[in-house]
Amino acid sequence: MTPAPDELFDREGWWDPDCAAFRSLRGISEFRLALLRRWLPGDWSTRLVVDLGCGGGLVAIPLAATGARVIGVDVATTALRAATARNEPTFRAVAGDLDGVPVAPALADVVLLADVLEHVARPADAVAAAAGLLRPGGYLFVNTIHRTRRSRLLAITLGEGLGFIPAGTHRWEMFVTPAELDDMGRRAGLELVQRIGEAPRLWRTLRTGAIALRETPSLAVGYAALYRRAS
Ligand SMILES: C[S@@+](CC[C@H](N)C(=O)[O-])C[C@H]1O[C@@H](n2cnc3c(N)ncnc32)[C@H](O)[C@@H]1O
């Protein structure tokens, strides 16, 4: 059964500079895009991308702007409307659960799970669904939050407590460890290609009021990973 959308995400304001609820997500989308372009260089206009849990399209729309064909899937229809309103001709929104995406299997060059796994009840099913969409040799990009005391302090106690992220966005128990993610990937036929740690850039975050990220070797807070489906 399709889960009900979370009202924290099923709302307007994704692209509105005055909307504080998405200020941090807007801030970190540039970091994600830079990482994606570095890990998967080349011509995006030839790629079919499926963005699972795309929200208002903060990652999907800039990719579509490069000419990539992007299918954005989300349960939050108001968020999807915000993405569609950006009028990128190669972006298509699909309302529904990422677990039962009505998209042909084994065709996508790239699948994204950007800041999504820590919000789903069965992350292993989400990873399996993502893998099923990939063509052989295609890539899954994931970023999510490790389940550590440090991530609880930074993402929940400080991040939500000081208002950088709306209160109630995260539940620590739902955070996913890198080992758990690797295991989910292995069981779905994916091999790890790259992984980096993500940590907040404290001064910039405090100065702008939006979480800004930097790369770090430590996986103790957040991390991004690239997996490849076996050919
Ligand atoms: C933190 S937001 C991330 C949005 C986007 N990926 C980004 O990086 O800006 C998480 C998104 O996942 C969506 N989501 C959560 N569970 C989902 C599910 N089971 N099926 C589809 N979308 C889901 C939410 O509605 C929300 O838009």
Side-chain angles (χ1 to χ4, degrees):
M1 200 170 64
T2 303
D6 185 330
E7 62 187 29
L8 286 171
F9 302 122
D10 197 21
R11 47 173 295 180
E12 303 192 0
W14 284 79
W15 292 86
D16 176 356
D18 294 327
C19 176
F22 298 116
R23 195 178 290 151
S24 288
L25 265 184
R26 277 195 302 275
I28 60 181
S29 61
E30 268 312 311
F31 180 87
R32 312 261 185 258
L33 286 161
L35 198 53
L36 268 168
R37 290 187 190 113
R38 191 173 94 211
W39 280 354
L40 299 172
D43 183 4
W44 279 80
S45 73
T46 60
R47 291 175 176 154
L48 174 64
V49 180
V50 182
D51 187 355
L52 296 175
C54 68
L58 296 175
V59 177
I61 294 297
L63 290 179
T66 68
R69 285 170 299 144
V70 184
I71 299 170
V73 180
D74 208 292
V75 281
T77 50
T78 312
L80 288 180
R81 274 201 297 280
T84 307
R86 305 302 292 180
N87 286 324
E88 275 304 335
T90 58
F91 174 79
R92 187 158 69 84
V94 175
D97 186 1
L98 53 78
D99 227 349
V101 184
V103 172
L107 278 186
D109 299 295
V110 182
V111 175
L112 311 177
L113 280 167
D115 277 318
V116 170
L117 282 185
E118 68 273 21
H119 300 288
V120 302
R122 295 181 310 279
D125 290 356
V127 171
L133 295 172
L134 284 172
R135 65 165 171 78
Y139 291 93
L140 171 64
F141 174 88
V142 179
N143 63 269
T144 191
I145 308 178
H146 196 338
R147 200 170 56 253
T148 59
R149 275 192 291 190
R150 194 167 163 74
S151 72
R152 188 203 304 258
L153 173 71
L154 287 171
I156 299 180
T157 311
L158 296 177
E160 296 186 18
L162 297 177
F164 294 106
I165 310 167
T169 296
H170 294 117
R171 281 178 46 202
W172 185 79
E173 307 73 41
M174 294 177 79
F175 290 174
V176 178
T177 74
E180 287 167 350
L181 182 58
D182 281 352
D183 190 48
M184 294 171 201
R186 244 187 323 272
R187 283 186 280 131
L190 301 172
E191 61 195 28
L192 179 67
V193 180
Q194 304 253 24
R195 179 160 51 208
I196 58 148
E198 301 176 342
R201 295 172 61 166
L202 287 177
W203 291 118
R204 187 158 162 201
T205 298
L206 290 171
R207 189 164 42 82
T208 61
I211 292 177
L213 293 177
R214 66 180 167 84
E215 204 171 315
T216 164
S218 165
L219 305 179
V221 185
Y223 57 98
L226 189 71
Y227 294 87
R228 186 171 180 275
R229 182 177 159 181
S231 303

